[in-house]
Amino acid sequence: MMAGLLLRLLPLVLLSPEPGAAVWPQPQSLSLDAEGGCRLSASRFRFGYANSSAVGPGCAVLDEAFQRYWELLFHSRRRDAGNGHSEDPLCTELFVSVAEQGCDGYPSMDSSENYKLTVSAEQMLLTADTVWGSLRGLETFSQLAWRGDDGTFYLNKTTVVDFPRFRHRGLLLDTSRHYLPLKAILETLDVMAYNKLNVFHWHIVDDPSFPYESMVFPDLSWKGAYNPVTHVYTASDVKTVIEHARLRGIRVISEFDTPGHTHSWGAGLPGLLTPCYAGLKPSGVYGPVNPILNTTYQVMAKLFEEVSAVFPDFYIHLGGDEVDFTCWKSNPEIQTFMQKMGFGQDFTKLESFYIQKLLDIVSSYNKGYVVWQEVFDNAVKVRPDTIVHVWKLSAGAYPKEMAQVTKAGYRVLLSAPWYLNYISYGQDWIAAYRVEPLAFEGSPEQKALVIGGEACMWGEYVDATNLSPRLWPRAGAVAERLWSNQTVRSLADAYMRLADFRCMLLTRGIRAEPLFTGHCDYEFNAL
Ligand SMILES: *[C@@H]1O[C@H](CO)[C@@H](O)[C@H](O)[C@H]1NC(C)=O
Ligand SMILES: *[C@@H]1O[C@H](CO)[C@@H](O)[C@H](O)[C@H]1NC(C)=O
Ligand SMILES: *[C@@H]1O[C@H](CO)[C@@H](O)[C@H](O)[C@H]1NC(C)=O
Ligand SMILES: *[C@@H]1O[C@H](CO)[C@@H](O)[C@H](O)[C@H]1NC(C)=O
């Protein structure tokens, strides 16, 4: 019965997309000719820089991408590629032309990711404003190649003009609830690039563990990690992640969530957390960061000075969600401070007091910040360029929140409908796909403040064993919603392309779970 229901919903589930036409996420414009294509041969094909390009050999971002995509095209699939019909012309070189210099920098929120790709027997050219845009074009190129029954790789005559709808297309990984080995993070970055996602939001520490190895406060991970030797991210690990991401045009935004979600900080920094009271005596339990001590702000200043230097992105995520006030309420010193400050019993005011001081600290290091929605909900005074991250799951509530945040003039990121750690029987990618981030009441100016969104993969029930299948291809639904034109909404078309894309992920060695009944030409581990 369940299957019948799904079949009615998606009447075309058993069809395959036409060869040469399946790209995920769907480009803004893609035109195809049945005639005028060519074949690719592993021994003859190469990527090269066009004469007009402002970047050339020695540009690590592109040199390495050329190598990666050559491997993905020819080595990740079956090696016994045939030669096809000899009457089909061979395409031997894709020329890449980048207008702006800049191979050594980092992608930013303002980086152009536009590209244009023309493929035909006469000409193969990829043009882009920036190296980051050319990376998006190379991914599209790799998806356009398809393998005929004879084993030959073909390209149809195709023109793609493409750019993202939203500039911030993120994925959150949580490395505190479970430690994710470096390899799992790097593989996730690879698949993010296949999906044209461009922000890795690294929720690196939280209540259960503190795996970030700090230079200024080494005790934080020494006492707060699950294991201070094996379950930590060293400075070199963090550099590896940032560089792996950079080479794929992905920004890394770290999150050091405070004042709540800080249980693991306590052992390494005694005095940082608030002692909770049972009656007149400390109960031995600790609550959020203690906001009334000067030492707290000295610690934060030192830690965020380091974090600002280690993570090159302009933005830091400062968290600020789910602060539990019961411990603050129980503590007599905090009560005294509340009276002195005239806060009464309004603990959101105390939270605001803390967050404002923290924001001043982070601003002084020339960084911008992202905060979870409570910071806005609790009316904390923030800088006008703050980004508010909408996450609260209460059914149907997020459009209202989007309207309120943008009405107040803040930029906003959407995650509420994209908590992919939640799973359910059936095709739950559909709900994520159907989301329309701009479907809230507001002016065009308000809509323009929506800079994108993030798929979230919280780690309570996720570690390296199930990360990939839970993420992929489900996070692809979010990736297409954030990249493609608003009008790209057909479930039947999306199903075909996503199922096809998922099969391609298998050829690239990714354990992406199936959408529904069916098969791939090459099953996982059968290559
Ligand atoms: C791509 O070209 C092949 C022939 O090489 C053709 O059969 C196919 O229909 C073309 N795809 C599209 C979408 O036109
Ligand atoms: C690039 O310039 C070289 C030398 O001027 C020339 O031989 C070559 O044909 C040019 N290539 C393209 C693709 O225009
Ligand atoms: C904390 O700092 C403020 C401002 O610098 C100062 O007035 C206050 O006396 C300090 N409090 C303590 C307990 O050191
Ligand atoms: C999105 O698609 C619609 C309908 O095809 C088109 O009118 C609109 O211009 C497209 N938007 C962009 C940004 O290309």
Side-chain angles (χ1 to χ4, degrees), residues 4 95 148 195 253 344 347 360 434 466:
F95 287 102
N195 283 275
I253 296 186
F347 284 86
D360 290 344
R434 279 190 163 146
N466 59 350

Side-chain angles (χ1 to χ4, degrees), residues 222-237:
W222 190 248
K223 297 189 174 153
Y226 285 130
N227 179 306
V229 178
T230 55
H231 286 52
V232 288
Y233 302 108
T234 64
S236 139
D237 292 338

Side-chain angles (χ1 to χ4, degrees), residues 28 163 485 487:
Q28 300 289 341
F163 51 87
N485 191 313
T487 57

Side-chain angles (χ1 to χ4, degrees), residues 49-51 95:
Y49 293 91
N51 287 348
F95 287 102

Side-chain angles (χ1 to χ4, degrees), residues 310-324:
V310 167
F311 293 90
D313 200 82
F314 179 65
Y315 290 94
I316 299 180
H317 203 302
L318 295 176
D321 58 320
E322 296 183 309
V323 185
D324 180 358

Side-chain angles (χ1 to χ4, degrees), residues 148-446:
D149 293 336
D150 57 2
T152 305
F153 295 115
Y154 290 100
L155 285 167
N156 290 56
K157 185 174 176 183
T158 312
T159 303
V160 178
V161 178
D162 204 7
F163 51 87
R165 180 177 173 210
F166 293 104
R167 58 181 66 188
H168 185 123
R169 304 177 309 282
L171 172 63
L172 175 149
L173 290 186
D174 168 6
T175 56
S176 173
R177 270 116 190 161
H178 282 97
Y179 177 79
L180 294 171
L182 203 55
K183 193 162 160 255
I185 297 178
L186 300 183
E187 183 186 288
T188 301
L189 291 167
D190 294 343
V191 192
M192 284 177 68
Y194 306 157
N195 283 275
K196 298 188 172 74
L197 290 169
N198 68 352
V199 179
F200 170 41
H201 174 170
W202 194 351
H203 187 88
I204 192 164
V205 298
D206 203 299
D207 285 323
S209 78
F210 197 106
Y212 171 77
E213 219 173 73
S214 162
M215 286 161 269
V216 290
F217 296 115
D219 274 358
L220 279 169
S221 62
W222 190 248
K223 297 189 174 153
Y226 285 130
N227 179 306
V229 178
T230 55
H231 286 52
V232 288
Y233 302 108
T234 64
S236 139
D237 292 338
V238 171
K239 275 210 180 92
T240 301
V241 168
I242 293 170
E243 181 62 6
H244 197 87
R246 185 186 82 86
L247 290 170
R248 286 154 185 78
I250 297 172
R251 301 162 53 205
V252 179
I253 296 186
S254 62
E255 178 181 355
F256 287 80
D257 192 358
T258 66
H261 290 278
T262 45
H263 186 74
S264 68
W265 302 44
L269 283 173
L272 180 71
L273 303 183
T274 309
C276 314
Y277 276 66
L280 297 172
K281 284 194 308 227
S283 67
V285 172
Y286 290 86
V289 165
N290 191 336
I292 70 170
L293 302 179
N294 288 354
T295 49
T296 291
Y297 301 100
Q298 289 158 9
V299 163
M300 292 301 163
K302 257 178 105 173
L303 180 67
F304 279 100
E305 183 180 23
E306 170 182 325
V307 167
S308 301
V310 167
F311 293 90
D313 200 82
F314 179 65
Y315 290 94
I316 299 180
H317 203 302
L318 295 176
D321 58 320
E322 296 183 309
V323 185
D324 180 358
F325 296 143
T326 48
C327 180
W328 281 350
K329 264 184 202 161
S330 76
N331 181 303
E333 285 170 35
I334 294 208
Q335 288 285 2
T336 307
F337 184 82
M338 294 283 290
Q339 296 314 314
K340 193 182 107 197
M341 299 298 288
F343 292 165
Q345 284 297 301
D346 186 353
F347 284 86
T348 65
K349 293 210 168 103
L350 183 59
E351 182 187 353
S352 301
F353 171 84
Y354 169 81
I355 300 253
Q356 264 165 40
K357 283 172 101 69
L358 181 65
L359 298 186
D360 290 344
I361 289 169
V362 172
S363 302
S364 76
Y365 301 130
N366 268 323
K367 290 279 180 175
Y369 42 77
V370 187
V371 290
W372 295 111
Q373 75 178 73
E374 285 96 320
V375 173
F376 169 82
D377 296 345
N378 293 341
V380 178
K381 215 181 285 154
V382 293
R383 267 189 353 207
D385 61 350
T386 302
I387 298 171
V388 177
H389 198 162
V390 170
W391 71 274
K392 285 206 169 180
L393 304 177
S394 42
Y398 71 84
K400 213 173 134 203
E401 182 81 10
M402 299 285 280
Q404 285 166 352
V405 173
T406 55
K407 190 152 195 189
Y410 298 112
R411 288 173 298 168
V412 66
L413 284 173
L414 180 63
S415 278
W418 291 326
Y419 269 36
L420 300 184
N421 45 302
Y422 285 80
I423 47 177
S424 64
Y425 192 76
Q427 298 200 42
D428 64 358
W429 67 276
I430 292 175
Y433 190 77
R434 279 190 163 146
V435 170
E436 168 44 53
L438 301 190
F440 60 86
E441 272 185 51
S443 65
E445 291 74 30
Q446 279 175 261

